[in-house]
Amino acid sequence: MLKCTKAAEQVEGTEGVWEAQCGDDTGVCTISFRNKDLADVCKVGASIRMQNTSVRMVKGYIRVVVDKWAAFKPADEALEFEANAKNDVSGVEYELVES
C-alpha cells in the first residue's frame, strides 16, 4: 500500500516510459511503467495498491518496475499515513564493487 508523492511523467528521451514517486511511512522510491493508463492512477496524494512488481537498476539507481504481471491499482480505502519523502531510496546512486 503506497501513497503517490510525485505525479507520473513521461521519461525524457524515451517513448512510452513513465515514472512516478510513491512510498509509505518508511520512505519513497521511483516507480517505472510502460502502460499509459497507469499514469492516471498516479496523482499526488492518491492511495495505491501495488503487488508483484520487480526491482531493476537503471544507470545505478533503483527503480520499481510495474510490468504486465503486476497489480497497480487505486486502493480500496484512502490511506491515513504520509509518505516519508526524506528517505528516497531511488535518489541514491549505487555502483558495482568487485571484490
Side-chain angles (χ1 to χ4, degrees):
M1 303 303 282
L2 305 169
K3 274 206 149 174
C4 183
T5 57
K6 187 176 176 187
E9 297 177 352
Q10 189 166 5
V11 177
E12 191 174 317
T14 66
E15 238 179 87
V17 177
W18 287 266
E19 288 185 343
Q21 187 181 61
C22 298
D24 61 13
D25 55 353
T26 62
V28 295
C29 64
T30 301
I31 312 293
S32 180
F33 48 89
R34 291 188 176 272
N35 185 344
K36 170 94 169 87
D37 295 335
L38 297 180
D40 297 333
V41 174
C42 292
K43 306 276 188 229
V44 174
S47 298
I48 299 170
R49 179 177 63 92
M50 182 174 73
Q51 291 176 276
N52 203 29
T53 58
S54 59
V55 175
R56 296 208 179 107
M57 297 298 289
V58 178
K59 297 183 181 177
Y61 294 92
I62 294 174
R63 295 290 185 264
V64 176
V65 179
V66 179
D67 59 14
K68 67 180 182 177
W69 305 110
F72 192 82
K73 300 177 180 181
D76 293 336
E77 299 176 0
L79 302 173
E80 298 298 320
F81 63 82
E82 288 297 318
N84 181 4
K86 292 178 183 174
N87 185 19
D88 182 3
V89 296
S90 293
V92 177
E93 184 177 9
Y94 297 89
E95 66 179 75
L96 179 62
V97 177
E98 297 184 30
S99 54

